[in-house]
Amino acid sequence: MSAFVQSATRRPVLMSARIWLALLIFAGFAALPLIAALTDDPFLMLIGTRILAYAIAAMALDLILGYGAMVSFGHAAYLGFGAYAVAILNSYGVTDLLVHILFAVLLSAVFAAITGAISLRTRGVYFIMITLAFGQMAYFFFVSLSAYGGDDGTPLQSRSTLFGRDALESDLVMFYVALALLIALFAVATRIVGSRFGRVLIGTRENPVRMEAIGLSPFRYQLTAFVISGCMTSVAGVILANQAEFVSPAFMSWHRSGELIVMVVLGGIGNLTGAIGGAVVALLLEDWLAMLTEHWRLLFGVFLILMVLYSPHGITGALERLKGARK
Amino acid sequence: MTTRTKLLASTFAVLSTTLPAGAQELPSASDGVLKIGLVYTLSGPAAALGSQARDGFMLAVNQIKEVGGMPTEIIIVDDEQRPDLAADKARELVARDQVDFVVGPIFSNILGAIHKPVTETGTILISTNAGTSSYAGAECNENFFVTSYQNDQNHEVMGAYAEKQGYQNVFLMAPNYQAGKDSLNGFKHSYTGGVAGEVFTELGQLDFSSELAQIAAFQPDALFTFMPGGMGVNLVKQYSQAGLTSIPFLSAFTVDETTLPATQDAALGLMGGANWAPDMDNAANKAFVDGYLAAYDAVPGTYAMQAYDAAQLIDSAVRAVGGDLSDRAALRAALHKAEFDSPRGDFSFGKNNFPIQDFYLVKAEKRDDGKFQTAIVEKIFDDYKDNYADQCPM
Amino acid sequence: MTNLFILQLLNGAQLGVLLFLIAAGLTLVFGIMDVINLAHGVLYMIGAYLIATFAALTGSFWAGLLLMLPAALVVGLVIERLVIRPLYARSHLDQVLATFGLVMIVNEGVKMLWGTSPLSVPMPELLNGSIPLIGPLQYPVYRLAIIAAGLAVAAGLYVVVNHTRIGMLLRAGASNREMVSALGVDIGKLFSLVFALGALLACFAGAIVAPILSVDTGMGESVLILTFVVVVIGGIGSIRGAFLGALLVAVVDTLGRTFGPIVLRSVMEPAAAGQTGRMLAPMLVYILMAVILFARPQGLFGQRTS
């Protein structure tokens, strides 16, 4: 079990350094619309919103993957729940963003509670595969949902409304709403990790037997974390649907779950900031390489392998070593 | 763009890696350059379809030289068969690159994702393959043109053929997704006989042995199937291996020039419905097929032909308006006239901007040069209009 | 109905032995080397592309198959040396990331080398055609040959694993790696051997299905997940588990797709049965896996690990 997670959150000092790094990333995001305005390139905001959505999903996954050693290979299902919450409620004339998020979170909480309770009977690779199984079941359910286009998905007539106003139709507002959600959820996640709950969760990762010995049930803590993570991911789905103005089961395929894991591991697991950074780097790199060559996957693959071989703790690990070297 | 913003742009391009190198130097819509964005699936299992469409489009561009009599810039994008990504890339083409036309995609779900972002800005979207029913009917759009067909039509062709043959007992099989369901409905639209069995296979299914066993057990008058891409290759190979070739094989998007190189002899004699075949005898088709063979050493399929026509369509319309791309109404009217020689012969647009064209029964055959192609057997529909055009308010 | 049932069982067996060939290598690499190799599916694809190339060069399926085998071994050894070996001491997640990268590289590389169009491998003359079963039913000879080849390999593996020194080391390695290296066995060599063997089996599987399947760049991905399902159902590191898991997955999949709707029709309306059947059919394998893991969290033949 512990083989999965070798980079633990080591010292509290570093934790605060990572929060500073996260704030730096948020500041960079906040300045993006300025850059977009100066360069007369409003499209940047759309890319930015997409990256923000994936950053939320990756951070949510890191909460259980990094802190609880629960490698969920079915997390894209929650992206889908969020996206379909928007599509389904919209088709019934309910367009408010907050209601969409609430519905997405409820849906995800129920699904995560049921599948999590079953999945947590297993460990390690078995856990990976059983979460994949549930993710695939959700995927095929939406594929067969003809009312919402089945496999083809369905375009949204309009974006969600904010307090009865169609403010999100502006890409700028959409972007800042997504950024606000990321920052809020980051704050929540940081609080969770630093709380007693978080410490018990880390304890279950390091040594579940000891946790039981001191009278704590690892299962309850792990399941709660699993549900929280699923709910957070669904918020990303709500953003993604609004950004693309389109919803399809493609959001929930296992490829997407795999990409989320890649983002988290690439960034460095178990520190939340890494997952956000991983999402940013992975998506920007993909965009950039795709512009250079049709065969960008080759280069991306080489990059991933080199990262693993030469930077064991992902991007955050590399940054820390840089910092250490300078001292 | 003024020099000052250009300077700023290059400064900030360093800060923001998302900016493509030199993107800001690109001329905008009004300065005498025709800009076209191609959105095709160029990676993953379906890459062969997108590559063919791209090649078909580029062949026309190379033959015409200056499309619309203007300097032409073409931006090719891979949608990776991912709708969310495709929506982003389409917006990028429209907002950042400020293209005049977006051409593509292959798949209906990608079309659903890019339709709104492109058309709502007034940019012209030309689909060279996907022809979803909603966009043919109630949601038709003045900025949306289709050079392929409405999705149901090829299936209707096969239904009409089965009807004409007097089949009473046809076995139906399609993948379990929206296009698969639409396909069987399209077939039944023009076929009134009995159905021996109706099977939905898994999307991406590799092995059809269990379905073939059922067909063998039922011994139907014919099989109708819709199995695009790799699924079709597998089905065709296994169909002939299972010794079922005595049962007529009717299909749509299953036996075509993208799958024939892989199925080869196994597909000989299998039938499909199409709006064109490489062996059609007209000057425009000869120029197209010979040009494609010379450039890519492969027989073109409908994906290439329809993209080729999209380039011809753009060329004809831009020439008609004398290169004035700012008057969209005039441009749309010129496009609607469709004044170009299509390799498929008769071609015009209905009021929903979907084609009115002939449809044929085609059969796989071996060419004299050893390559494989589909060939026309007989014409099934003449000047055929789709069933949704009447619902279009345009 | 019984005829159909027998046919479907045969089909299930054919898919089953194929899955076993791929899963056997994966479960060994997993169980003995403790490496999660996402690139195992692309090895299967490489096998198919290699035989397509060699068969086209030599004009013979059999010559192609003979040439494919050593080439597959070389591919396996090279990948082990370059990518897998540095990952032995690393966390599973690092392995996932690196082998995910490897999948991207190989998929793109194959596309650059062979193009995007699917390739064709001709059916060997000897095994062409169908033999009559009962009534009007026929079964392709080639598929029977696949079943036979798969069973032969399974039997061979059984003998090697249970009755040879190498097999003893493999079994020992799967249950206690430290012990094996403490006994003075060159663990590095053992690992190379295991990985190359797994690669060979996967390539062999890809090669023998090439005449009945489309050889394209997507084929590795589609089989990878199914193979992982098999390995996990059977229990990591267990060849016997992989064999039974593969047959179980294949039979449930083939029978479920055919008979599921029929069974459903007896309990609900035809339209609703059709709808539900279509929804459930692709989920069947995953439902099976979830149920098995719920009952036995370490798979059918897996050892409970800490």
Side-chain angles (χ1 to χ4, degrees), chain A residues 100-122:
Chain A
H100 288 169
I101 291 181
L102 197 68
F103 184 54
V105 166
L106 272 176
L107 212 62
S108 303
V110 172
F111 187 80
I114 296 170
T115 64
I118 299 170
S119 304
L120 280 169
R121 288 174 57 86
T122 64

Side-chain angles (χ1 to χ4, degrees), chain B residues 67-82:
Chain B
V67 180
M70 293 171 76
T72 313
E73 185 184 318
I74 290 167
I75 304 164
I76 299 171
V77 203
D78 177 11
D79 63 39
E80 299 176 38
Q81 217 179 332
R82 287 170 48 169

Side-chain angles (χ1 to χ4, degrees), chain A residues 90-141:
Chain A
N90 260 349
S91 72
Y92 286 103
V94 181
T95 57
D96 193 83
L97 180 70
L98 295 178
V99 183
H100 288 169
I101 291 181
L102 197 68
F103 184 54
V105 166
L106 272 176
L107 212 62
S108 303
V110 172
F111 187 80
I114 296 170
T115 64
I118 299 170
S119 304
L120 280 169
R121 288 174 57 86
T122 64
R123 290 282 171 269
V125 176
Y126 297 102
F127 183 85
I128 298 183
M129 293 308 289
I130 198 167
T131 48
L132 166 80
F134 289 121
Q136 288 292 87
M137 288 179 208
Y139 169 77
F140 286 117
F141 174 78

Side-chain angles (χ1 to χ4, degrees), chain B residues 322-374:
Chain B
D324 178 14
L325 297 167
S326 56
D327 185 354
R328 290 286 147 147
L331 182 63
R332 284 194 293 263
L335 285 164
H336 189 78
K337 282 187 193 142
E339 280 171 343
F340 63 93
D341 292 327
S342 170
R344 67 193 109 169
D346 290 356
F347 182 95
S348 62
F349 282 120
K351 68 171 181 173
N352 56 353
N353 293 337
F354 274 60
I356 296 176
Q357 57 189 333
D358 303 340
F359 283 90
Y360 306 88
L361 179 77
V362 300
K363 196 179 221 169
E365 65 167 32
K366 194 166 190 168
R367 293 160 52 97
D368 295 336
D369 60 6
K371 293 185 165 66
F372 293 81
Q373 69 177 11
T374 56

